Amino acid sequence: ITAVIPYYGYARQDRKAKPRQPITSKLVADLLTTAGVNRVVTIDLHAAQIQGFFNIPVDDMQALPLICNYFKNKNLDDICVVSPDHGGATRARKMAVALDCPVAIIDKRRPKPNVAEIMGVLGDVEGKNCVMIDDMIDTGGTIVAGIIDMLIEKGAKNVFVACTHPVFSGPAVERLKNCSAKEVVVTDTIILPKEKHFDKLKVVSVASLLAKTIESIENNLPVSDVFQEFDFEK
């Protein structure tokens, strides 16, 4: 049994940040294994180390090649990839290599969950088409906590927001709808109901990525070869 789970729930509870907090992503791994799953296919785990919670093979696929191809096809000039925090710098650098452009990093602090304080921008964004990439958008608080406005204040030409998982809980849709971003690009790892769609939302399908992954597994071929078809190295 291969469980195909595009969005792995509870992925952010991967460690004890405070005493007595549960590590629920490990519980989910145990539940899947106990239920009889022999292999897991997922997309963009919040922390790659979650693969170590399993005693079965886990394929953590990346939606980044699909998002990169979307922006390549837009033929934008003067692109700068922006990471919304230091933790996402590796993801931003991979995208910057694919798009052959510089990187900027937002210096952000989290005083409590889903609350962000923006301290500054590390990098030059003046006159750039900024693409801010993250693994998920939950409440949208991080994005509209001044990041977009700060980038525009620093001279950014346009700001595009991109992520893999559109969780869109609470006031996220209203925040994104009313923010200054030109587009909000997401994948369909989470299917959004019609009431959560808005004009600047663009959805990139992960169907081809999952289809090729499943085909490789069924034919006992290397899953890493899937990324070569998208002109992207893992």
Side-chain angles (χ1 to χ4, degrees):
I1 299 170
T2 300
V4 181
I5 311 169
Y7 173 62
Y8 185 87
Y10 294 100
R12 284 182 290 179
Q13 285 188 278
D14 61 331
R15 69 193 193 284
K16 277 183 180 289
K18 293 179 182 177
R20 303 183 72 84
Q21 280 190 345
I23 305 177
T24 315
S25 53
K26 166 62 174 167
L27 172 64
V28 173
D30 289 343
L31 288 170
L32 288 166
T33 307
T34 303
V37 170
N38 306 111
R39 186 170 186 158
V40 171
V41 175
T42 187
I43 298 178
D44 284 348
L45 283 171
H46 184 66
Q49 296 90 324
I50 291 172
Q51 295 171 83
F53 291 166
F54 290 86
N55 292 321
I56 56 175
V58 177
D59 299 296
D60 181 20
M61 308 307 290
Q62 294 182 19
L64 198 58
L66 304 173
I67 296 171
C68 287
N69 287 343
Y70 174 86
F71 284 102
K72 278 181 183 177
N73 293 333
K74 288 185 77 69
N75 296 317
L76 295 170
D77 296 324
D78 298 321
I79 298 177
C80 178
V81 177
V82 179
S83 172
D85 51 36
H86 293 279
T90 302
R91 185 185 302 107
R93 284 195 195 100
K94 284 183 180 179
M95 188 174 190
V97 168
L99 298 178
D100 190 22
C101 68
V103 177
I105 300 171
I106 302 295
D107 186 16
K108 181 186 75 178
R109 313 285 160 84
R110 278 195 184 277
K112 54 185 179 179
N114 286 334
V115 176
E117 290 179 359
I118 312 305
M119 313 303 288
V121 181
L122 307 176
D124 181 21
V125 296
E126 189 172 353
K128 308 281 189 185
N129 281 305
C130 292
V131 179
M132 188 162 59
I133 182 72
D134 209 347
D135 65 328
M136 69 175 71
I137 298 175
D138 187 355
T139 62
T142 301
I143 289 164
V144 297
I147 292 182
I148 296 171
D149 291 337
M150 180 181 283
L151 291 172
I152 292 171
E153 280 175 21
K154 296 280 186 182
K157 194 190 301 181
N158 294 301
V159 179
F160 298 83
V161 176
C163 80
T164 303
H165 307 298
V167 179
F168 289 4
S169 63
V173 172
E174 282 302 314
R175 285 173 171 173
L176 294 168
K177 198 186 297 184
N178 299 320
C179 74
S180 305
K182 195 170 181 67
E183 284 183 2
V184 178
V185 182
V186 303
T187 74
D188 56 356
T189 55
I190 298 172
I191 301 300
L192 294 173
K194 286 184 180 179
E195 59 268 21
K196 289 193 175 183
H197 283 254
F198 48 97
D199 291 341
K200 62 176 80 170
L201 181 72
K202 310 294 178 187
V203 180
V204 176
S205 175
V206 295
S208 57
L209 174 65
L210 288 176
K212 287 179 172 63
T213 303
I214 293 166
E215 185 180 23
S216 295
I217 291 169
E218 289 300 303
N219 293 317
N220 293 315
L221 298 171
V223 172
S224 56
D225 289 352
V226 171
F227 292 100
Q228 294 178 6
E229 297 193 34
F230 293 99
D231 190 26
F232 192 91
E233 290 186 6
K234 190 173 181 182

